[in-house]
Amino acid sequence: MGARLGYRTSVHIRRGFLGWGVFLILAGAVPLAVRAGYLDEGQVGRLWTLWPLILIGIGVSLILRRTRLDFLGGLIVAATLGLMIGGLLSVSVAGFAGGTCGQGAGTTAFPSRGDTFLTAATINVQSDCGDLNVAITSGDAWQLSGTDADGVGPSVERSISSLDIRSRNGQGPFAFGDGDVWQLTLPTGPHLDLDIKLNAGSSEIGLGRATISRLRLQINAGSSILSLAGTNAIDDLDVQLNAGSLRLTLPNVSLTGTIQANAGSVKLCAPQGAALRLHTGDSIIASYDYAGHGLVEEGSTWSTPGFDSAAVRIELDTRANAGSFVLDPADGCG
């Protein structure tokens, strides 16, 4: 029997892993391209507009079902999600998150509204494709002003202990029109229970001098700067990002809370002297940069030595699913 002069080799690719491979490659390639200077913030921001390709991929899968090419639709979906998630994981997520809104903002001023809270107040705000600014002022009165496309303003329901503000268009996170611009001023007097939902667009929320019983913030395809510096007290913090970015300045008062980033980027800035205890998740496509602020890692928890005896203790459950957390970034949280 003669010697064998060659070998035939074959490569078998499991289709179940092919989509994951494409997703992970692109999700990692985009941040690398940004850091290398091949993509700028504007280009990354436009990656969000690729989302209709997900629907196309699903349609292709249905058409090619039970054929040898049935995997093509899944690859389209995986590649699109990889590009979008890669944009969110890049250095600047803010421009990416705002890519769903129109290019301009409504410029017609709407009539200001305002009233006085006579007791502790519950405040609900939902902004769709807009620019929301929240500030604190002395007293018991609140005020809302701003601009939109027709000068009518948002829907507002109010009482002596509650305030509900919502975009009239109700477009949700996939809004495309010109964005509203709201300036909401809240008082220092009453205890505030805040529930803010941002669907696309951006927000800048400064709560210095406020007394907050609970703060819930949901960001869907948006970016937010939240400053709790100077806050008198805050009992509970609950933040959820769904394709969004957050820059959070923590208060110099004790606090417990949860921050969950689903395809999001979170930057945390902590005051000097505050003790931190940060719990992390175990997603393979999440990153946590908690080496600063003197924290010590033990398992899935980063803590300030002597946390339990510190005067100011901030304990947060930080969970990322395809996201990132950074503590005390070089560029700050402002």
Side-chain angles (χ1 to χ4, degrees), residues 275-277 303-313 315:
L276 304 179
R277 179 172 287 165
S303 299
T304 303
F307 175 86
D308 292 327
S309 60
V312 176
R313 298 187 298 273
E315 183 167 7

Side-chain angles (χ1 to χ4, degrees), residues 1-269:
M1 189 171 180
R4 301 181 66 181
L5 300 179
Y7 296 92
R8 294 183 62 187
T9 61
S10 63
V11 177
H12 177 68
I13 299 176
R14 293 185 62 179
R15 292 182 180 180
F17 293 129
L18 185 59
W20 274 109
V22 171
F23 168 80
L24 292 173
I25 289 171
L26 292 176
V30 173
L32 288 176
V34 171
R35 295 183 183 183
Y38 296 113
L39 292 175
D40 59 31
E41 183 173 306
Q43 292 170 323
V44 172
R46 288 191 290 274
L47 290 176
W48 179 257
T49 62
L50 297 176
W51 68 265
L53 287 175
I54 296 175
L55 303 181
I56 293 174
I58 295 172
V60 170
S61 294
L62 293 174
I63 293 173
L64 298 180
R65 186 175 55 179
R66 296 181 181 177
T67 72
R68 296 182 63 184
L69 299 177
D70 60 352
F71 64 93
L72 290 179
L75 287 185
I76 295 173
V77 174
T80 304
L81 289 174
L83 290 171
M84 294 170 64
I85 298 303
L88 286 169
L89 296 176
S90 299
V91 175
S92 177
V93 186
F96 175 87
T100 54
C101 284
Q103 296 299 313
T107 57
T108 304
F110 57 77
S112 298
R113 294 98 179 270
D115 209 333
T116 300
F117 293 128
L118 300 182
T119 183
T122 299
I123 300 163
N124 297 290
V125 180
Q126 178 175 320
S127 172
D128 297 335
C129 190
D131 186 353
L132 171 65
N133 296 279
V134 180
I136 300 295
T137 191
S138 300
D140 297 310
W142 62 268
Q143 185 175 44
L144 174 68
S145 60
T147 61
D148 59 17
D150 53 16
V152 175
S155 171
V156 177
E157 296 183 5
R158 58 192 176 184
S159 73
I160 60 173
S161 62
S162 66
L163 175 63
D164 189 283
I165 304 171
R166 298 179 184 273
S167 296
R168 286 181 296 109
N169 50 30
Q171 294 175 25
F174 298 105
F176 286 94
D178 291 340
D180 298 350
V181 178
W182 299 349
Q183 177 66 54
L184 175 61
T185 304
L186 299 174
T188 58
H191 287 236
L192 304 177
D193 185 324
L194 288 169
D195 189 338
I196 299 174
K197 180 181 291 185
L198 179 70
N199 294 320
S202 62
S203 68
E204 187 165 345
I205 304 169
L207 299 177
R209 299 188 296 153
T211 302
I212 302 168
S213 56
R214 180 166 54 174
L215 171 59
R216 294 177 298 273
L217 174 63
Q218 184 180 98
I219 305 168
N220 302 313
S223 63
S224 183
I225 298 174
L226 171 59
S227 176
L228 300 176
T231 299
N232 291 334
I234 175 169
D235 297 331
D236 183 62
L237 175 69
D238 184 358
V239 178
Q240 184 177 59
L241 292 86
N242 301 307
S245 69
L246 172 68
R247 291 175 178 261
L248 170 58
T249 301
L250 295 168
N252 200 22
V253 295
S254 295
L255 164 69
T256 60
T258 300
I259 304 175
Q260 181 172 331
N262 301 313
S265 169
V266 180
K267 295 185 177 182
L268 303 173
C269 292

